[in-house]
PDB file of all heavy atoms in Angstrom:
ATOM      1  N   ASP A  52      10.546  18.283   5.795  1.00 96.00           N
ATOM      2  CA  ASP A  52       9.898  19.591   6.075  1.00 96.00           C
ATOM      3  C   ASP A  52      10.709  20.784   5.471  1.00 96.00           C
ATOM      4  O   ASP A  52      10.209  21.786   5.006  1.00 96.00           O
ATOM      5  CB  ASP A  52       9.729  19.863   7.561  1.00 96.00           C
ATOM      6  CG  ASP A  52       8.747  18.836   8.126  1.00 96.00           C
ATOM      7  OD1 ASP A  52       7.944  18.244   7.577  1.00 96.00           O
ATOM      8  OD2 ASP A  52       8.643  18.792   9.464  1.00 96.00           O
ATOM      9  N   MET A  56       9.292  23.611   2.844  1.00 97.00           N
ATOM     10  CA  MET A  56       9.408  25.016   3.156  1.00 97.00           C
ATOM     11  C   MET A  56      10.183  25.846   2.204  1.00 97.00           C
ATOM     12  O   MET A  56       9.882  26.904   1.827  1.00 97.00           O
ATOM     13  CB  MET A  56       9.825  25.329   4.652  1.00 97.00           C
ATOM     14  CG  MET A  56       8.907  24.655   5.653  1.00 97.00           C
ATOM     15  SD  MET A  56       7.127  25.163   5.447  1.00 97.00           S
ATOM     16  CE  MET A  56       7.186  26.753   6.199  1.00 97.00           C
ATOM     17  N   ALA A  57      11.245  25.119   1.610  1.00 97.00           N
ATOM     18  CA  ALA A  57      11.982  25.764   0.447  1.00 97.00           C
ATOM     19  C   ALA A  57      11.094  25.939  -0.790  1.00 97.00           C
ATOM     20  O   ALA A  57      11.142  27.044  -1.387  1.00 97.00           O
ATOM     21  CB  ALA A  57      13.321  25.012   0.194  1.00 97.00           C
ATOM     22  N   LEU A  59       7.862  26.351  -0.644  1.00 97.00           N
ATOM     23  CA  LEU A  59       6.892  27.464  -0.301  1.00 97.00           C
ATOM     24  C   LEU A  59       7.656  28.817  -0.483  1.00 97.00           C
ATOM     25  O   LEU A  59       6.996  29.786  -1.103  1.00 97.00           O
ATOM     26  CB  LEU A  59       6.470  27.250   1.076  1.00 97.00           C
ATOM     27  CG  LEU A  59       5.244  28.200   1.549  1.00 97.00           C
ATOM     28  CD1 LEU A  59       3.973  28.019   0.724  1.00 97.00           C
ATOM     29  CD2 LEU A  59       5.014  28.019   3.026  1.00 97.00           C
ATOM     30  N   MET A  60       8.856  28.941  -0.107  1.00 98.00           N
ATOM     31  CA  MET A  60       9.530  30.217  -0.224  1.00 98.00           C
ATOM     32  C   MET A  60       9.798  30.487  -1.726  1.00 98.00           C
ATOM     33  O   MET A  60       9.782  31.673  -2.163  1.00 98.00           O
ATOM     34  CB  MET A  60      10.919  30.227   0.546  1.00 98.00           C
ATOM     35  CG  MET A  60      10.729  30.175   2.129  1.00 98.00           C
ATOM     36  SD  MET A  60       9.664  31.565   2.761  1.00 98.00           S
ATOM     37  CE  MET A  60       7.999  30.846   2.880  1.00 98.00           C
ATOM     38  N   GLN A 150      20.451  27.125   7.301  1.00 96.00           N
ATOM     39  CA  GLN A 150      20.071  27.189   8.654  1.00 96.00           C
ATOM     40  C   GLN A 150      18.731  28.092   8.832  1.00 96.00           C
ATOM     41  O   GLN A 150      17.877  27.670   9.604  1.00 96.00           O
ATOM     42  CB  GLN A 150      21.128  28.039   9.552  1.00 96.00           C
ATOM     43  CG  GLN A 150      22.332  27.005   9.772  1.00 96.00           C
ATOM     44  CD  GLN A 150      23.466  27.720  10.556  1.00 96.00           C
ATOM     45  OE1 GLN A 150      23.532  28.895  10.505  1.00 96.00           O
ATOM     46  NE2 GLN A 150      24.268  26.919  11.178  1.00 96.00           N
ATOM     47  N   SER A 151      18.438  29.006   8.002  1.00 96.00           N
ATOM     48  CA  SER A 151      17.206  29.756   8.059  1.00 96.00           C
ATOM     49  C   SER A 151      16.030  28.896   7.534  1.00 96.00           C
ATOM     50  O   SER A 151      14.976  28.978   8.054  1.00 96.00           O
ATOM     51  CB  SER A 151      17.276  31.050   7.365  1.00 96.00           C
ATOM     52  OG  SER A 151      17.748  30.929   5.945  1.00 96.00           O
ATOM     53  N   ILE A 152      16.346  27.961   6.586  1.00 97.00           N
ATOM     54  CA  ILE A 152      15.343  27.055   6.162  1.00 97.00           C
ATOM     55  C   ILE A 152      14.984  26.135   7.276  1.00 97.00           C
ATOM     56  O   ILE A 152      13.882  25.670   7.515  1.00 97.00           O
ATOM     57  CB  ILE A 152      15.694  26.304   4.852  1.00 97.00           C
ATOM     58  CG1 ILE A 152      15.690  27.241   3.657  1.00 97.00           C
ATOM     59  CG2 ILE A 152      14.853  25.179   4.631  1.00 97.00           C
ATOM     60  CD1 ILE A 152      14.344  27.659   3.204  1.00 97.00           C
ATOM     61  N   GLU A 153      16.005  25.629   7.972  1.00 97.00           N
ATOM     62  CA  GLU A 153      15.787  24.797   9.209  1.00 97.00           C
ATOM     63  C   GLU A 153      14.973  25.487  10.189  1.00 97.00           C
ATOM     64  O   GLU A 153      13.970  24.879  10.807  1.00 97.00           O
ATOM     65  CB  GLU A 153      17.112  24.387   9.836  1.00 97.00           C
ATOM     66  CG  GLU A 153      17.949  23.408   9.039  1.00 97.00           C
ATOM     67  CD  GLU A 153      17.570  21.969   9.267  1.00 97.00           C
ATOM     68  OE1 GLU A 153      16.947  21.685  10.202  1.00 97.00           O
ATOM     69  OE2 GLU A 153      17.958  21.123   8.434  1.00 97.00           O
ATOM     70  N   GLN A 154      15.153  26.668  10.490  1.00 97.00           N
ATOM     71  CA  GLN A 154      14.448  27.457  11.486  1.00 97.00           C
ATOM     72  C   GLN A 154      12.990  27.651  10.974  1.00 97.00           C
ATOM     73  O   GLN A 154      12.139  27.523  11.784  1.00 97.00           O
ATOM     74  CB  GLN A 154      15.109  28.936  11.690  1.00 97.00           C
ATOM     75  CG  GLN A 154      14.406  29.675  12.685  1.00 97.00           C
ATOM     76  CD  GLN A 154      15.004  31.097  12.908  1.00 97.00           C
ATOM     77  OE1 GLN A 154      15.858  31.427  12.166  1.00 97.00           O
ATOM     78  NE2 GLN A 154      14.420  31.807  13.783  1.00 97.00           N
ATOM     79  N   LEU A 155      12.860  27.880   9.693  1.00 97.00           N
ATOM     80  CA  LEU A 155      11.446  28.111   9.161  1.00 97.00           C
ATOM     81  C   LEU A 155      10.639  26.764   9.307  1.00 97.00           C
ATOM     82  O   LEU A 155       9.519  26.747   9.718  1.00 97.00           O
ATOM     83  CB  LEU A 155      11.530  28.533   7.784  1.00 97.00           C
ATOM     84  CG  LEU A 155      10.125  28.694   6.988  1.00 97.00           C
ATOM     85  CD1 LEU A 155       9.417  29.871   7.708  1.00 97.00           C
ATOM     86  CD2 LEU A 155      10.415  29.052   5.539  1.00 97.00           C
ATOM     87  N   ALA A 156      11.334  25.577   9.051  1.00 96.00           N
ATOM     88  CA  ALA A 156      10.720  24.337   9.093  1.00 96.00           C
ATOM     89  C   ALA A 156      10.401  23.911  10.485  1.00 96.00           C
ATOM     90  O   ALA A 156       9.346  23.377  10.734  1.00 96.00           O
ATOM     91  CB  ALA A 156      11.663  23.241   8.593  1.00 96.00           C
ATOM     92  N   SER A 157      11.030  24.549  11.462  1.00 96.00           N
ATOM     93  CA  SER A 157      10.652  24.256  12.862  1.00 96.00           C
ATOM     94  C   SER A 157       9.343  24.949  13.310  1.00 96.00           C
ATOM     95  O   SER A 157       8.773  24.627  14.297  1.00 96.00           O
ATOM     96  CB  SER A 157      11.800  24.736  13.834  1.00 96.00           C
ATOM     97  OG  SER A 157      11.946  26.086  13.869  1.00 96.00           O
ATOM     98  N   MET A 158       8.895  25.908  12.438  1.00 96.00           N
ATOM     99  CA  MET A 158       7.718  26.643  12.761  1.00 96.00           C
ATOM    100  C   MET A 158       6.479  25.949  12.115  1.00 96.00           C
ATOM    101  O   MET A 158       5.331  26.477  12.288  1.00 96.00           O
ATOM    102  CB  MET A 158       7.781  28.150  12.247  1.00 96.00           C
ATOM    103  CG  MET A 158       8.785  28.896  12.933  1.00 96.00           C
ATOM    104  SD  MET A 158       9.230  30.438  12.055  1.00 96.00           S
ATOM    105  CE  MET A 158       7.681  31.174  11.649  1.00 96.00           C
ATOM    106  N   LEU A 159       6.739  24.928  11.373  1.00 96.00           N
ATOM    107  CA  LEU A 159       5.696  24.242  10.524  1.00 96.00           C
ATOM    108  C   LEU A 159       4.535  23.802  11.344  1.00 96.00           C
ATOM    109  O   LEU A 159       4.558  23.123  12.429  1.00 96.00           O
ATOM    110  CB  LEU A 159       6.289  23.125   9.698  1.00 96.00           C
ATOM    111  CG  LEU A 159       5.339  22.428   8.799  1.00 96.00           C
ATOM    112  CD1 LEU A 159       4.900  23.413   7.627  1.00 96.00           C
ATOM    113  CD2 LEU A 159       6.076  21.272   8.052  1.00 96.00           C
ATOM    114  N   MET A 163      -1.363  27.030   8.529  1.00 96.00           N
ATOM    115  CA  MET A 163      -0.536  28.167   8.932  1.00 96.00           C
ATOM    116  C   MET A 163      -1.059  29.445   8.257  1.00 96.00           C
ATOM    117  O   MET A 163      -1.404  29.562   7.023  1.00 96.00           O
ATOM    118  CB  MET A 163       0.956  27.989   8.657  1.00 96.00           C
ATOM    119  CG  MET A 163       1.610  26.903   9.410  1.00 96.00           C
ATOM    120  SD  MET A 163       3.314  26.853   8.958  1.00 96.00           S
ATOM    121  CE  MET A 163       4.051  28.170   9.907  1.00 96.00           C
ATOM    122  N   LEU A 165       0.716  33.124   7.477  1.00 97.00           N
ATOM    123  CA  LEU A 165       1.975  33.643   7.438  1.00 97.00           C
ATOM    124  C   LEU A 165       1.965  35.016   6.825  1.00 97.00           C
ATOM    125  O   LEU A 165       1.217  35.246   5.938  1.00 97.00           O
ATOM    126  CB  LEU A 165       2.979  32.836   6.637  1.00 97.00           C
ATOM    127  CG  LEU A 165       3.221  31.295   7.174  1.00 97.00           C
ATOM    128  CD1 LEU A 165       4.085  30.542   6.137  1.00 97.00           C
ATOM    129  CD2 LEU A 165       3.990  31.435   8.461  1.00 97.00           C
ATOM    130  N   VAL A 176       9.562  36.109   7.483  1.00 98.00           N
ATOM    131  CA  VAL A 176       8.477  35.271   7.654  1.00 98.00           C
ATOM    132  C   VAL A 176       7.978  35.436   8.977  1.00 98.00           C
ATOM    133  O   VAL A 176       8.736  35.196   9.986  1.00 98.00           O
ATOM    134  CB  VAL A 176       8.779  33.855   7.272  1.00 98.00           C
ATOM    135  CG1 VAL A 176       7.510  32.991   7.341  1.00 98.00           C
ATOM    136  CG2 VAL A 176       9.408  33.744   5.927  1.00 98.00           C
ATOM    137  N   CYS A 183      11.130  34.473  11.353  1.00 97.00           N
ATOM    138  CA  CYS A 183      12.568  34.198  10.919  1.00 97.00           C
ATOM    139  C   CYS A 183      12.893  34.920   9.707  1.00 97.00           C
ATOM    140  O   CYS A 183      11.893  35.321   8.980  1.00 97.00           O
ATOM    141  CB  CYS A 183      12.834  32.690  10.880  1.00 97.00           C
ATOM    142  SG  CYS A 183      12.052  31.878   9.501  1.00 97.00           S
ATOM    143  N   VAL A 185      14.681  34.355   6.117  1.00 98.00           N
ATOM    144  CA  VAL A 185      15.255  33.410   5.108  1.00 98.00           C
ATOM    145  C   VAL A 185      16.049  34.153   4.123  1.00 98.00           C
ATOM    146  O   VAL A 185      15.434  34.947   3.321  1.00 98.00           O
ATOM    147  CB  VAL A 185      14.290  32.449   4.487  1.00 98.00           C
ATOM    148  CG1 VAL A 185      14.898  31.515   3.532  1.00 98.00           C
ATOM    149  CG2 VAL A 185      13.432  31.672   5.606  1.00 98.00           C
TER     150      VAL A 185
END
Side-chain angles (χ1 to χ4, degrees):
D52 293 345
M56 294 310 278
L59 188 65
M60 293 301 99
Q150 291 178 332
S151 56
I152 290 291
E153 289 275 342
Q154 183 182 1
L155 181 61
S157 72
M158 298 167 41
L159 183 62
M163 293 183 77
L165 298 173
V176 183
C183 73
V185 177

